[in-house]
Amino acid sequence: METRIALVTGASSGIGEATAERLAQAGYTVYGTSRRGAQGGQRTFEMLPLDVTSEESVEAAVSEVLRLHGRIDLLVNNAGFGVAPAAAEESSIDQARAIFDTNFFGIVRMTRAVVPHMRRHGSGRIINIGSVLGFLPMPYMALYSATKHAVAGYSESLDHELRTKGIRVSVIEPAYVKTAFDANFMAPDAPLDEYREVRSAVDKRVKEVVENADGPEVVAETVLRAASAARPKLRYTAGGLAGRLQLLRRFAPAGLVDAGVRKDLRLAT
Ligand SMILES: NC(=O)c1ccc[n+]([C@@H]2O[C@H](COP(=O)([O-])OP(=O)(O)OC[C@H]3O[C@@H](n4cnc5c(N)ncnc54)[C@H](OP(=O)(O)O)[C@@H]3O)[C@@H](O)[C@H]2O)c1
């Protein structure tokens, strides 16, 4: 049987790297990406340069995989970043645009580049890395939550459109994962004294939780499960906490969920 070809964006660290490794171990031929291209060190997958905010860069990376193999069977849209915990009004419009440009429009660019080839082959899988904040927004993470809601909405629409062409789309929704994610947070660019205390309290709480969170392998395993499923689900949580939050969101009364979010972050009620 021919080996399947996977392209994983943002595979230089964290969830993307763990996913690229897991897929390679499972027999896929994997191309990971980084804005810095291939770095030194041994990897079980190839690395390509890619900045998902640039259409030219997206075209170049996709063309390179197609030149080498003639097809892409699995696209994992993982590249993304967060803004450090801050009030919504502490980020400028430029900052809002920047986070959408990577977390959401990056996925749109990759999808537009890859889908025509998958359509021609009559098959393909697209797996988007969302977040529990894509169904349960968190205060002081408004922009990031908004990007992940956009990812969830886009993924669901796309799956409806493409299933009759042999292409399925899933979104993987982890809670906190222990990666360099918080080290790569973009600082809010319009900070206000008004929020200084709550900003540092939420930041401290997030750091505490990330310290005890699942490793990225948990998400990688879920990606492999979704990619291998004969009938993939639209949404997969990854890890125990994400599963519990999804149940809470689905079945608990809204008031209880609202109070639970504030209690967890130690916010005044
Ligand atoms: N960690 C968590 O708690 C958590 C929870 C839920 C969801 N997620 C999601 O999981 C994904 C991966 O996050 P992570 O935790 O693994 O963080 P990470 O270790 O910081 O990895 C982020 C990856 O994205 C790449 N990237 C960033 N901007 C890019 C751009 N413009 N073009 C191409 N690649 C870009 C980075 O590559 P280079 O810098 O090398 O280009 C890096 O490989 C993100 O979508 C994040 O929202 C994370």
Side-chain angles (χ1 to χ4, degrees):
M1 200 174 119
E2 258 185 307
T3 154
R4 283 157 300 170
I5 312 298
L7 177 57
V8 181
T9 69
S12 60
S13 64
I15 292 170
E17 181 176 39
T19 297
E21 272 167 8
R22 186 67 189 92
L23 291 170
Q25 195 187 35
Y28 284 79
T29 297
V30 181
Y31 290 85
T33 76
S34 161
R35 283 167 293 183
R36 289 161 292 157
Q39 301 287 294
Q42 290 262 306
R43 289 188 190 276
T44 53
F45 55 91
E46 299 291 326
M47 269 296 216
L48 294 172
L50 170 67
D51 181 344
V52 298
T53 67
S54 154
E55 247 174 86
E56 295 73 48
S57 175
V58 165
E59 276 304 326
V62 169
S63 299
E64 180 61 3
V65 181
L66 292 171
R67 186 184 68 78
L68 293 166
H69 299 282
R71 59 182 216 281
I72 294 171
D73 301 301
L74 169 64
L75 167 65
V76 182
N77 283 311
N78 163 79
F81 71 90
V83 175
E89 61 172 311
E90 294 185 291
S91 283
S92 67
I93 288 292
D94 283 347
Q95 189 153 51
R97 282 206 183 98
I99 188 169
F100 266 89
D101 206 16
T102 297
N103 293 12
F104 179 64
F105 290 111
I107 292 183
V108 176
R109 288 185 191 95
M110 291 301 299
T111 303
R112 294 195 74 255
V114 169
V115 162
H117 306 283
M118 288 183 168
R119 252 194 302 107
R120 221 161 289 140
H121 278 271
S123 68
R125 292 286 167 93
I126 299 175
I127 296 185
N128 296 328
I129 306 299
S131 162
V132 293
L133 302 193
F135 62 80
L136 183 59
M138 183 175 138
Y140 306 104
M141 286 268 181
L143 291 177
Y144 180 76
S145 297
T147 65
K148 294 301 184 180
H149 274 69
V151 170
Y154 183 71
S155 304
E156 186 159 350
S157 294
L158 204 61
D159 184 59
H160 274 294
E161 294 173 19
L162 295 176
R163 70 181 63 163
T164 52
K165 308 191 186 309
I167 305 167
R168 295 308 304 251
V169 183
S170 298
V171 56
I172 312 294
E173 301 182 308
Y176 299 100
V177 184
K178 203 169 173 182
T179 66
F181 186 63
D182 55 333
N184 293 329
F185 275 156
M186 185 181 266
D189 62 354
L192 298 168
D193 272 352
E194 180 80 21
Y195 295 108
R196 190 195 306 269
E197 261 179 47
V198 72
R199 209 189 310 122
S200 100
V202 174
D203 191 54
K204 184 163 162 264
R205 177 71 187 136
V206 168
K207 286 205 166 79
E208 268 169 28
V209 188
V210 169
E211 201 43 48
N212 298 305
D214 289 325
E217 312 74 37
V218 171
V219 186
E221 206 56 49
T222 311
V223 172
L224 179 62
R225 188 151 56 86
S228 321
R231 294 223 227 133
K233 295 190 294 179
L234 172 68
R235 303 176 95 127
Y236 291 79
T237 53
L241 176 60
R244 290 194 293 281
L245 290 173
Q246 191 199 46
L247 287 177
L248 194 75
R249 185 53 146 177
R250 194 177 295 166
F251 298 113
L256 203 71
V257 176
D258 181 276
V261 167
R262 298 191 72 82
K263 186 167 173 231
D264 183 60
L265 290 176
R266 322 270 194 264
L267 299 175
T269 45

